[in-house]
Structures are given as structure tokens and as C-alpha cells.
């Protein structure tokens, strides 16, 4: 069963591509069926692990053996990997079903479904790894698949640019991740999780010279590992690829940004909690980056107009929450939010896809409005997703996001207090931009000039069915799993799969902290309605009076422009210089072009001897004979 969970999506990816020769529907059904079976088996593995304690390590084969250094291909099933199996395979199965309807008019359906299944396999290989090398294989696998999926519509220039951007930015993070793995191998002599984590206490005080400074080894390893997580999970400074990734089809957005690729960074930090707990600097670094990302992405989302980009920045912000939860030592809370976030964020992405599908690929919320009666099921599903995202009382986000704010406060440090404050502010901003999206998309006046309102109707059942399932999960997942994952007896579930040293006393949470976020979230609903629907003239005045701030947020803090100025344009100039001066004027001129030019000149001269006259041929033979005799005389 454990082997099937890993390899069924791979089989679907390979065979599904070739089934297109029998008709696209065969490929769609085959890949979807195998991923659905994978999801079912993941639930069984999760259930057996919780109630029957059937955790274990299942060897596939020995990958690398050199003396005492052994790296296996294995399927490591523990509480952490089992819950990730459920999240990844379940969301992937729903995305596959959704894609059957959403990609109905695309001519390359089989290729798309094959990419989705390969993506699922790569992520599953990542989460079930028992060593850093297999983890890196899955890590790079999801990076490759994201490149293929973001650039799926490769005839669009914007899609190609977005795919390349995602690939390059992730390579920056992956370079840091690779250095972290190299350091682990050099000093620990192994890359297996269990062996590395056992040896950590022995190296906790070891310092090495890096760039001329004495730095603690564990701190250096953790920082480099986290740089890898920053790239994959689109954290501040390495976040610029995420909104551009919306150029891919909407199912891709849901798969990448909800439960799979972007959560890999959070999974890495939680998996490596036995390392991070020995470095206060690394934990503080994670907390600070998480806080900045949360507030930065929320501030940008509040003025964006592309429906998918708003949700993408929301994902970026929520990942910031997860990271600063891990940074204050609440790894189990970070995983709980990852778990609930997967459902409501996938719901919002797929819901936005339903809207885009029904509005003939329109993505600008300024060209929508007043369509909730035409799309009642999609509207209701996105209302549920928005309530869950904003942390409305008793929905999933209420339990997980508020828990992060509370645990940050309970950390007791100044950084923890600051993180909880940032969490509250970000929660309010999240509520504002989320309801802005709902009101401008579904309410108010219909503003699309290219469509008639009567033409708009709700999506097909294959698109709506995943929305219904995700809406149910968004309502119930927080309530059902709260005590299980972060309650007083959370150690019974997580066991040794993550390390939590800090103890958190819930009785120390002040009442004002318990009620602040729910009150702000609730008040944001009428406030957003008033600003964006009832009195949007007031909004225009704000844009006019505070235009520099508005443009600053609209242009995403000008990070793309800054990176273009600092990195992209100088590199282009350097490349242009070496191309013209190096390739064209040096290598080509004196290399192939020069040789071919000389040969051409010689051939033009020698062709004159091919005149057809006997004396010309005799003259050539005489010269050749003279050269031959000269050669024999001097080189006897």
C-alpha cells in the first residue's frame, strides 16, 4: 500500500501521456483515477498510523553505498509525513477532477494531466523521504514540474517569462539548500534524518570559519536550509516568482499554492526542528522573515486587481504565518495551519477559476461584479473559503491562524510579542482584501463590457464538485483536528516526527488577545462593503490623496523594478558584452568564421586552375611534385 501511494501518480504521469492516442478522455480518467486511489490509500495510512501505530520505513532500494555512507530510496511513514500525504494527495485528486472540466477546451489535455500527476509524485517523494538527498530529489522535481505547468501555455510570452522567473528564483534558494546539505554531509558524515538528528547535540557548540567569520555550524546549516525554504515557499526577498506564476492554468495555481510546492519549505523547517531548536539565531531569522512576509504580502494584496494574484499574495502571507509559528517553536501549530490552509486556499483558487471560466478568461475584478445570482454555487463556495481564510469564528482558519497568534504571544519573548502583533494586523488586512475580492467580484454593478450578464452561468459539475468537498473541509477541518494536532495531548500524535522544546500554557493567554482578531475580522465585513460597494467614491479619494503609497503597494514595493536594476539589467549588459566582444568578435571571427573565410578564399583561388586546359593541370602537377620532392629531401 505504501509503495502504491508513491508510484501510482508516477505511473499515471507516464502512461497517461501516451493514452492521448486513444483519446484525451482516457488520459484524463486514467490519471485522475490513480491519484484518487492514492488519496484513498493516504487516508488509510493516516488512520492506521493514528489508531494502530503502523508507522515504519519501507525500503525501495539502496541508492548510494560507499563505506559507511549509505543512502536509500525509502518511504518513511511517520505522523508528519502521513498528514502531508493526506493533504497533498487529497488536494491533487480534487484538482485532477476539476481539471477535467476546466481544461475541456484545451488541445493538450493529456500533457496537462501528465504534468499534474508527475508534480504529485515529486511532492510525495519529497514528503516520504528519510534523508536529505531524496528530499532534494523531490524538491527539484516539484521545481521542474512547476516550470512545466506555469509555462504550460508556452505560446504566450508572459507564461514563458513567468516560468523562467519561477525557475531562476527557485534556483537561488535551492543553491542555499544544497550548501546546507553539503555542510551536513561534510561534518556529520551522513544525510539520513535519524542519524543527523542524533548527532546534532555533539555539534551544537562547534564553530567553523565561513567568509572570514567564526559561525556556529548548526546556525549556518539552518540558515542555508531556510534559504531553500524561502525560495520554495516564496518568502520575502525570494517571493517575486509567486504572483507571476498565475500565468499557468488555474488548477496549477491551486496545486502549487495550496497544498504542494509552496508548503515544501514549511515542511522542511518542521522536519528539521531537531536542528533548528539548537540555533536561536536561526529561529529568530525564520520568525523575522515570516513576519515581514505576512505583512508585506497582505499590504500588496489589498490593492491588486487580478483575482488570482490577490489569492496568490494571500498564500504568500499565510505562509509567513506558518514560518513565524515555526520560528517561535510552535512547529505543530505551523503544520496545523498548513493543513487547514490547504483546503480553503485550494477552494479560493478553484473558485476563482470557476469565475474566470464563466467570464471567458476575465481575471480583472474591476470588470466583474453583480454575478452572484448567476453563479450561486461558486459564490457560496468562495464565501466559505473567505470566511475560513479570514479566521471567522468556528471555521478552520479561526482555529489555526488564531492559534499561531496565541502561541507567538505565549513564547514570552519580545520577538514573540511583536510577531503576535504583526499577526493581528495582518489578519485585519487579510479580511479587508478578501472581502474586497468577494464584493467586487460578485456584488455591486456588473462592469464587464465584453459580456452580457445573461450569458453568465455557473460552471459544470466537474468544476463545482471539488468546490463542494473543499467547502466542507474548510468548515470542519479546524474544529475536528484542533485537539488532535495542537491540543493538550498533541504529543500523542506527533511523537518523534518533530521536536517541541518550549511548553505553552494556554491559561496565560489574556482575554483581549482571544477576542481581538475575531472582532476585527467580523467588523471588516461591513467596513469592506461600505468602502468597495456602498461608497467607492471615498476609495477614489484615498487613491488620489495617497497616490505614492497606493502606487508603492500596487507595484509590489517595487521589488521587480529593484531586481531588474540591481541584477537583471547588469547581467544582460555583461552577457551582451561577452556575446558581441567574446563570441562574435573573437571566437567566431578567429574560429569557425575565420577558418571558413580562409578556406573560401583558397577555394576561390584554386578553382581558377580548373579551367579545362592541359597546361593548367600540368602546372598544378608540377607544383605538387616539387613540394613532394622537397618534403622527402628535408625529412628523410
Amino acid at each position: 500500500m505504501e509503495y502504491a501511494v508513491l508510484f501510482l501518480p508516477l505511473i499515471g504521469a507516464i502512461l497517461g501521456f501516451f493514452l492521448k492516442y486513444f483519446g484525451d478522455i482516457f488520459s484524463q480518467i486514467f490519471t485522475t483515477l490513480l491519484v484518487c486511489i492514492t488519496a484513498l490509500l493516504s487516508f488509510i495510512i493516516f488512520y492506521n498510523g493514528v489508531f494502530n501505530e503502523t508507522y515504519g520505513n519501507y525500503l525501495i532500494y539502496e541508492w548510494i553505498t560507499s563505506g559507511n555512507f549509505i543512502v536509500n530510496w525509502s518511504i518513511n511513514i511517520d505522523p508528519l509525513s502521513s498528514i502531508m500525504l493526506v493533504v497533498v494527495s487529497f488536494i491533487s485528486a480534487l484538482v485532477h477532477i476539476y481539471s477535467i472540466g476546466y481544461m475541456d477546451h484545451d488541445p493538450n489535455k493529456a500533457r496537462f494531466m501528465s504534468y499534474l500527476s508527475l508534480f504529485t509524485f515529486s511532492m510525495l517523494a519529497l514528503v516520504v523521504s528519510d534523508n536529505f538527498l531524496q528530499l532534494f530529489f523531490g524538491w527539484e522535481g516539484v521545481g521542474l514540474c512547476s516550470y512545466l505547468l506555469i509555462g504550460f501555455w508556452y505560446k504566450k510570452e508572459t507564461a514563458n517569462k513567468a516560468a523562467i522567473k519561477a525557475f531562476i528564483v527557485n534556483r537561488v534558494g535551492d543553491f542555499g539548500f544544497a550548501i546546507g546539505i553539503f555542510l551536513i554531509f561534510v561534518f556529520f558524515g551522513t544525510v539520513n534524518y535519524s542519524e543527523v538528528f542524533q548527532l546534532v547535540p555533539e555539534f551544537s557548540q562547534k564553530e567553523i570559519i565561513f567568509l572570514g567569520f567564526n559561525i556556529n555550524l548548526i546556525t549556518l546549516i539552518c540558515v542555508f536550509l531556510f534559504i531553500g525554504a524561502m525560495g520554495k515557499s516564496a518568502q520575502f526577498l525570494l517571493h517575486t516568482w509567486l504572483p507571476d506564476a498565475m500565468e499557468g492554468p488555474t488548477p496549477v495555481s491551486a496545486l502549487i499554492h495550496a497544498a504542494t510546492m509552496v508548503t515544501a519549505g514549511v515542511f522542511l523547517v518542521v522536519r528539521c526542528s531537531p536542528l533548528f531548536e539548537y540555533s536561536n539565531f536561526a529561529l529568530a531569522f525564520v520568525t523575522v522573515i515570516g513576519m515581514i512576509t505576512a505583512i508585506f504580502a497582505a499590504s500588496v494584496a489589498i490593492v491588486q486587481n487580478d483575482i488570482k494574484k490577490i489569492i496568490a499574495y494571500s498564500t504568500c502571507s499565510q505562509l509567513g504565518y506558518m514560518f513565524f509559528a515555526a520560528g517561535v517553536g510552535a512547529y505543530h501549530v505551523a503544520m496545523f495551519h498548513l493543513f487547514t490552509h490547504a483546503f480553503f486556499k485550494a477552494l479560493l483558487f478553484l473558485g476563482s477559476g470557476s469565475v474566470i471560466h464563466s467570464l471567458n478568461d476575465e481575471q480583472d475584478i474591476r470588470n466583474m461584479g453583480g454575478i452572484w445570482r448567476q453563479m450561486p454555487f461558486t459564490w457560496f463556495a468562495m464565501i466559505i473559503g473567505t470566511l475560513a481564510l479570514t479566521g471567522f469564528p468556528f471555521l478552520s482558519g479561526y482555529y489555526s491562524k488564531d492559534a499561531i497568534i496565541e502561541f507567538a504571544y505565549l513564547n514570552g519573548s519580545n520577538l514573540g510579542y511583536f510577531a503576535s502583533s504583526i499577526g493581528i494586523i495582518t489578519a485585519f488586512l487579510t479580511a479587508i482584501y478578501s472581502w474586497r475580492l468577494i464584493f467586487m467580484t460578485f456584488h455591486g454593478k456588473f462592469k464587464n463590457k465584453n459580456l452580457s450578464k445573461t450569458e453568465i452561468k455557473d460552471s459544470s459539475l466537474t468544476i463545482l464538485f471539488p468546490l463542494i468537498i473543499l467547502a466542507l473541509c474548510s468548515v470542519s477541518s479546524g474544529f475536528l483536528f484542533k485537539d488532535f494536532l495542537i491540543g493538550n495531548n498533541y504529543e500523542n500524535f506527533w511523537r518523534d516526527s518533530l521536536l517541541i522544546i518550549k511548553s505553552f500554557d494556554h491559561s496565560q493567554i489574556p482575554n483581549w488577545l482571544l477576542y481581538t482578531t475575531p472582532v476585527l475580522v467580523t467588523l471588516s465585513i461591513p467596513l469592506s462593503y461600505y468602502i468597495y460597494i456602498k461608497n467607492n467614491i471615498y476609495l477614489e479619494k484615498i487613491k488620489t490623496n495617497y497616490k505614492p503609497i497606493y502606487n508603492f503597494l500596487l507595484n509590489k514595493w517595487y521589488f521587480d523594478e529593484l531586481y531588474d536594476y540591481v541584477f537583471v539589467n547588469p547581467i544582460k549588459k555583461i552577457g551582451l558584452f561577452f556575446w558581441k566582444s567574446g563570441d562574435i568578435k573573437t571566437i567566431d571571427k578567429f574560429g569557425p568564421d575565420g577558418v571558413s573565410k580562409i578556406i573560401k578564399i583558397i577555394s576561390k583561388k584554386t578553382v581558377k586552375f580548373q579551367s579545362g586546359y592541359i597546361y593548367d593541370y600540368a602546372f598544378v602537377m608540377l607544383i605538387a611534385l616539387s613540394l613532394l620532392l622537397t618534403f622527402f629531401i628535408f625529412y628523410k
Side-chain angles (χ1 to χ4, degrees):
M1 181 167 61
E2 287 77 11
Y3 296 99
V5 163
L6 178 60
F7 289 109
L8 282 178
L10 179 61
I11 294 170
I14 296 171
L15 298 182
F17 182 80
F18 293 102
L19 283 174
K20 66 180 180 180
Y21 298 110
F22 299 95
D24 288 331
I25 190 64
F26 287 100
S27 176
Q28 290 175 304
I29 292 175
F30 182 71
T31 52
T32 303
L33 179 63
L34 291 189
V35 174
C36 287
I37 294 172
T38 299
L40 179 62
L41 294 177
S42 297
F43 279 110
I44 296 172
I45 290 172
F46 179 76
Y47 178 87
N48 288 338
V50 172
F51 295 102
N52 300 324
E53 300 184 11
T54 55
Y55 299 119
N57 192 292
Y58 302 87
L59 178 67
I60 300 174
Y61 67 89
E62 286 190 358
W63 187 9
I64 300 172
T65 303
S66 179
N68 295 325
F69 181 72
I70 299 173
V71 177
N72 297 326
W73 263 96
S74 299
I75 300 174
N76 180 42
I77 304 297
D78 64 3
L80 181 58
S81 61
S82 67
I83 198 168
M84 286 297 293
L85 282 176
V86 169
V87 170
V88 172
S89 60
F90 182 60
I91 298 297
S92 181
L94 292 176
V95 169
H96 275 73
I97 295 169
Y98 180 93
S99 299
I100 294 175
Y102 190 87
M103 302 295 288
D104 183 52
H105 302 296
D106 195 280
N108 299 299
K109 291 184 278 289
R111 178 165 63 90
F112 182 76
M113 301 301 283
S114 178
Y115 286 170
L116 286 183
S117 293
L118 184 61
F119 193 107
T120 306
F121 163 73
S122 299
M123 190 65 191
L124 293 176
L126 187 158
V127 300
V128 300
S129 60
D130 74 341
N131 61 77
F132 285 98
L133 213 53
Q134 184 181 335
L135 173 71
F136 192 72
F137 169 84
W139 194 272
E140 294 304 303
V142 293
L144 169 64
C145 293
S146 69
Y147 169 78
L148 296 173
L149 287 166
I150 294 168
F152 179 76
W153 288 321
Y154 57 86
K155 293 183 180 180
K156 287 174 60 180
E157 185 180 0
T158 52
N160 285 325
K161 287 182 177 179
I164 292 170
K165 186 176 183 179
F167 196 79
I168 291 174
V169 173
N170 272 277
R171 295 292 73 72
V172 175
D174 294 352
F175 180 69
F177 185 31
I179 292 175
I181 296 175
F182 295 155
L183 287 171
I184 289 171
F185 169 71
V186 169
F187 289 96
F188 289 77
T190 179
V191 291
N192 296 316
Y193 294 150
S194 57
E195 296 172 358
V196 170
F197 298 155
Q198 286 177 0
L199 292 170
V200 170
E202 297 180 18
F203 290 89
S204 61
Q205 302 301 320
K206 183 175 179 58
E207 292 189 346
I208 63 172
I209 298 175
F210 181 77
L211 300 178
F213 297 95
N214 284 332
I215 302 176
N216 181 269
L217 173 64
I218 303 299
T219 296
L220 196 62
I221 290 172
C222 290
V223 167
F224 277 118
L225 292 179
F226 181 63
I227 289 172
M230 286 172 63
K232 201 65 72 183
S233 294
Q235 293 299 283
F236 186 71
L237 300 178
L238 295 179
H239 65 277
T240 53
W241 67 270
L242 187 75
D244 291 347
M246 298 301 104
E247 289 294 335
T250 299
V252 174
S253 304
L255 194 63
I256 291 177
H257 301 137
T260 51
M261 178 171 159
V262 294
T263 61
V266 180
F267 171 80
L268 171 65
V269 173
V270 173
R271 172 63 80 191
C272 295
S273 55
L275 274 167
F276 279 86
E277 280 299 318
Y278 281 88
S279 174
N280 290 327
F281 177 85
L283 288 175
F285 183 54
V286 173
T287 306
V288 170
I289 293 295
M291 285 191 301
I292 295 173
T293 304
I295 194 76
F296 154 74
S299 68
V300 171
I302 209 165
V303 298
Q304 296 302 304
N305 298 308
D306 187 308
I307 188 171
K308 286 169 66 177
K309 284 190 177 182
I310 295 170
I311 304 172
Y313 275 110
S314 173
T315 300
C316 194
S317 181
Q318 297 304 306
L319 288 164
Y321 270 102
M322 298 175 206
F323 276 114
F324 81 66
V328 297
Y331 303 101
H332 56 317
V333 185
M335 285 303 301
F336 181 43
H337 192 50
L338 184 155
F339 177 71
T340 60
H341 173 265
F343 300 122
F344 58 71
K345 190 51 60 69
L347 174 59
L348 288 171
F349 268 120
L350 297 184
S352 69
S354 178
V355 173
I356 294 166
H357 196 66
S358 297
L359 293 178
N360 291 346
D361 298 326
E362 179 60 65
Q363 295 186 199
D364 194 326
I365 60 175
R366 295 171 296 183
N367 297 326
M368 301 178 187
I371 59 174
W372 73 273
R373 286 188 176 89
Q374 283 68 35
M375 305 185 68
F377 293 104
T378 301
W379 170 76
F380 183 73
M382 289 197 71
I383 288 287
I384 296 295
T386 299
L387 289 170
L389 169 63
T390 58
F392 193 79
F394 310 116
L395 273 77
S396 57
Y398 167 73
Y399 294 102
S400 59
K401 189 159 67 174
D402 279 26
I404 291 176
I405 296 170
E406 292 164 10
F407 275 77
Y409 182 86
L410 290 174
N411 181 262
S413 64
N414 292 331
L415 190 60
Y417 294 141
F418 189 56
S420 63
S421 302
I422 293 294
I424 292 171
I425 296 169
T426 303
F428 180 67
L429 293 177
T430 301
I432 295 293
Y433 70 67
S434 298
W435 288 110
R436 171 179 178 260
L437 184 149
I438 291 294
F439 290 137
M440 292 188 69
T441 301
F442 293 102
H443 297 272
K445 295 179 180 179
F446 182 68
K447 298 181 284 292
N448 194 304
K449 297 178 181 179
N450 300 319
L451 281 173
S452 171
K453 199 172 180 180
T454 55
E455 298 177 45
I456 300 170
K457 60 180 181 179
D458 226 331
S459 301
S460 62
L461 184 61
T462 51
I463 290 178
L464 293 178
F465 174 73
L467 299 185
I468 295 169
I469 300 300
L470 288 169
L472 292 173
C473 294
S474 298
V475 172
S476 60
S477 59
F479 174 76
L480 293 177
F481 288 90
K482 176 178 180 292
D483 292 332
F484 196 55
L485 299 180
I486 64 170
N488 292 328
N489 296 317
Y490 64 85
E491 297 97 337
N492 292 336
F493 171 74
W494 295 110
R495 301 173 184 269
D496 297 327
S497 61
L498 50 83
L499 178 64
I500 301 175
I501 294 177
K502 300 179 180 68
S503 59
F504 300 95
D505 184 3
H506 285 265
S507 63
Q508 300 298 316
I509 302 175
N511 289 331
W512 66 265
L513 186 64
L514 291 173
Y515 296 114
T516 298
T517 305
V519 168
L520 288 175
V521 164
T522 305
L523 289 175
S524 69
I525 301 175
L527 179 62
S528 299
Y529 182 79
Y530 177 78
I531 294 174
Y532 297 110
I533 299 296
K534 202 70 176 175
N535 190 15
N536 53 18
I537 297 174
Y538 180 69
L539 183 64
E540 294 302 321
K541 289 182 179 178
I542 294 176
K543 290 180 182 178
T544 304
N545 295 335
Y546 300 96
K547 193 171 182 179
I549 297 175
Y550 175 76
N551 288 335
F552 179 72
L553 298 178
L554 187 64
N555 289 285
K556 302 157 287 190
W557 292 23
Y558 293 104
F559 266 101
D560 284 317
E561 290 78 3
L562 177 65
Y563 286 171
D564 278 346
Y565 181 78
V566 176
F567 298 112
V568 178
N569 292 333
I571 290 173
K572 279 184 177 179
K573 289 178 181 178
I574 293 170
L576 196 65
F577 170 77
F578 280 111
W579 171 52
K580 287 186 175 180
S581 300
D583 283 4
I584 296 176
K585 294 182 179 179
T586 305
I587 297 174
D588 288 348
K589 182 178 180 180
F590 297 104
D593 288 350
V595 172
S596 63
K597 188 176 181 180
I598 293 170
I599 292 173
K600 190 175 181 180
I601 293 171
I602 294 172
S603 66
K604 280 183 178 180
K605 297 293 182 182
T606 54
V607 77
K608 293 179 180 179
F609 292 106
Q610 304 294 323
S611 62
Y613 294 109
I614 293 175
Y615 57 80
D616 283 332
Y617 296 123
F619 179 66
V620 171
M621 286 187 286
L622 183 62
I623 291 173
L625 181 62
S626 300
L627 291 173
L628 191 63
L629 289 172
T630 303
F631 176 80
F632 281 117
I633 290 170
F634 286 99
Y635 296 97
K636 257 184 175 180

